[in-house]
mmCIF file of all heavy atoms in Angstrom:
data_model
loop_
_atom_site.group_PDB
_atom_site.id
_atom_site.type_symbol
_atom_site.label_atom_id
_atom_site.label_comp_id
_atom_site.label_asym_id
_atom_site.label_seq_id
_atom_site.Cartn_x
_atom_site.Cartn_y
_atom_site.Cartn_z
ATOM 1 N N THR R 55 -24.471 -6.112 14.126
ATOM 2 C CA THR R 55 -25.606 -5.209 13.901
ATOM 3 C C THR R 55 -26.047 -4.616 15.230
ATOM 4 O O THR R 55 -26.404 -5.358 16.163
ATOM 5 C CB THR R 55 -26.770 -5.949 13.238
ATOM 6 O OG1 THR R 55 -26.325 -6.535 12.021
ATOM 7 C CG2 THR R 55 -27.920 -5.001 12.962
ATOM 8 N N ILE R 56 -26.038 -3.300 15.345
ATOM 9 C CA ILE R 56 -26.472 -2.595 16.562
ATOM 10 C C ILE R 56 -27.712 -1.780 16.192
ATOM 11 O O ILE R 56 -27.650 -0.921 15.298
ATOM 12 C CB ILE R 56 -25.367 -1.668 17.111
ATOM 13 C CG1 ILE R 56 -24.104 -2.480 17.436
ATOM 14 C CG2 ILE R 56 -25.857 -0.965 18.368
ATOM 15 C CD1 ILE R 56 -23.096 -2.509 16.322
ATOM 16 N N THR R 57 -28.812 -2.050 16.876
ATOM 17 C CA THR R 57 -30.084 -1.398 16.577
ATOM 18 C C THR R 57 -30.517 -0.572 17.778
ATOM 19 O O THR R 57 -30.487 -1.055 18.924
ATOM 20 C CB THR R 57 -31.165 -2.423 16.241
ATOM 21 O OG1 THR R 57 -30.714 -3.270 15.183
ATOM 22 C CG2 THR R 57 -32.462 -1.736 15.817
ATOM 23 N N ALA R 58 -30.889 0.680 17.523
ATOM 24 C CA ALA R 58 -31.435 1.564 18.553
ATOM 25 C C ALA R 58 -32.911 1.798 18.250
ATOM 26 O O ALA R 58 -33.245 2.298 17.164
ATOM 27 C CB ALA R 58 -30.671 2.880 18.604
ATOM 28 N N ALA R 59 -33.801 1.415 19.170
ATOM 29 C CA ALA R 59 -35.248 1.495 18.932
ATOM 30 C C ALA R 59 -35.910 2.337 20.016
ATOM 31 O O ALA R 59 -35.573 2.233 21.209
ATOM 32 C CB ALA R 59 -35.859 0.102 18.901
ATOM 33 N N GLN R 60 -36.868 3.179 19.583
ATOM 34 C CA GLN R 60 -37.676 3.991 20.502
ATOM 35 C C GLN R 60 -39.026 4.180 19.857
ATOM 36 O O GLN R 60 -39.202 4.987 18.933
ATOM 37 C CB GLN R 60 -37.019 5.351 20.771
ATOM 38 C CG GLN R 60 -37.748 6.196 21.803
ATOM 39 C CD GLN R 60 -37.185 7.612 21.862
ATOM 40 O OE1 GLN R 60 -37.259 8.347 20.881
ATOM 41 N NE2 GLN R 60 -36.626 7.978 23.009
ATOM 42 N N GLY R 61 -40.014 3.388 20.321
ATOM 43 C CA GLY R 61 -41.312 3.443 19.689
ATOM 44 C C GLY R 61 -41.214 2.979 18.239
ATOM 45 O O GLY R 61 -40.747 1.883 17.925
ATOM 46 N N SER R 62 -41.675 3.836 17.323
ATOM 47 C CA SER R 62 -41.615 3.490 15.902
ATOM 48 C C SER R 62 -40.291 3.878 15.258
ATOM 49 O O SER R 62 -40.051 3.578 14.094
ATOM 50 C CB SER R 62 -42.764 4.188 15.159
ATOM 51 O OG SER R 62 -42.663 5.596 15.288
ATOM 52 N N GLN R 63 -39.440 4.598 15.996
ATOM 53 C CA GLN R 63 -38.156 5.009 15.452
ATOM 54 C C GLN R 63 -37.134 3.884 15.608
ATOM 55 O O GLN R 63 -37.072 3.216 16.640
ATOM 56 C CB GLN R 63 -37.636 6.264 16.156
ATOM 57 C CG GLN R 63 -38.552 7.462 16.046
ATOM 58 C CD GLN R 63 -37.927 8.694 16.647
ATOM 59 O OE1 GLN R 63 -36.919 9.186 16.146
ATOM 60 N NE2 GLN R 63 -38.509 9.192 17.729
ATOM 61 N N ARG R 64 -36.305 3.698 14.583
ATOM 62 C CA ARG R 64 -35.325 2.629 14.600
ATOM 63 C C ARG R 64 -34.098 3.062 13.795
ATOM 64 O O ARG R 64 -34.220 3.518 12.659
ATOM 65 C CB ARG R 64 -35.932 1.360 14.014
ATOM 66 C CG ARG R 64 -35.027 0.121 14.138
ATOM 67 C CD ARG R 64 -35.764 -1.092 13.593
ATOM 68 N NE ARG R 64 -36.976 -1.343 14.376
ATOM 69 C CZ ARG R 64 -37.016 -2.119 15.455
ATOM 70 N NH1 ARG R 64 -35.905 -2.702 15.869
ATOM 71 N NH2 ARG R 64 -38.118 -2.294 16.105
ATOM 72 N N PHE R 65 -32.930 2.968 14.424
ATOM 73 C CA PHE R 65 -31.658 3.283 13.763
ATOM 74 C C PHE R 65 -30.759 2.048 13.819
ATOM 75 O O PHE R 65 -30.742 1.331 14.838
ATOM 76 C CB PHE R 65 -30.953 4.466 14.431
ATOM 77 C CG PHE R 65 -31.729 5.758 14.349
ATOM 78 C CD1 PHE R 65 -32.645 6.103 15.336
ATOM 79 C CD2 PHE R 65 -31.540 6.616 13.279
ATOM 80 C CE1 PHE R 65 -33.361 7.288 15.257
ATOM 81 C CE2 PHE R 65 -32.254 7.799 13.198
ATOM 82 C CZ PHE R 65 -33.172 8.142 14.183
ATOM 83 N N VAL R 66 -30.021 1.817 12.732
ATOM 84 C CA VAL R 66 -29.176 0.628 12.639
ATOM 85 C C VAL R 66 -27.754 1.050 12.291
ATOM 86 O O VAL R 66 -27.536 1.922 11.441
ATOM 87 C CB VAL R 66 -29.703 -0.365 11.569
ATOM 88 C CG1 VAL R 66 -28.783 -1.588 11.481
ATOM 89 C CG2 VAL R 66 -31.121 -0.803 11.922
#
Side-chain angles (χ1 to χ4, degrees):
T55 303
I56 301 94
T57 306
Q60 185 189 63
S62 60
Q63 300 185 65
R64 187 177 298 270
F65 297 89
V66 179

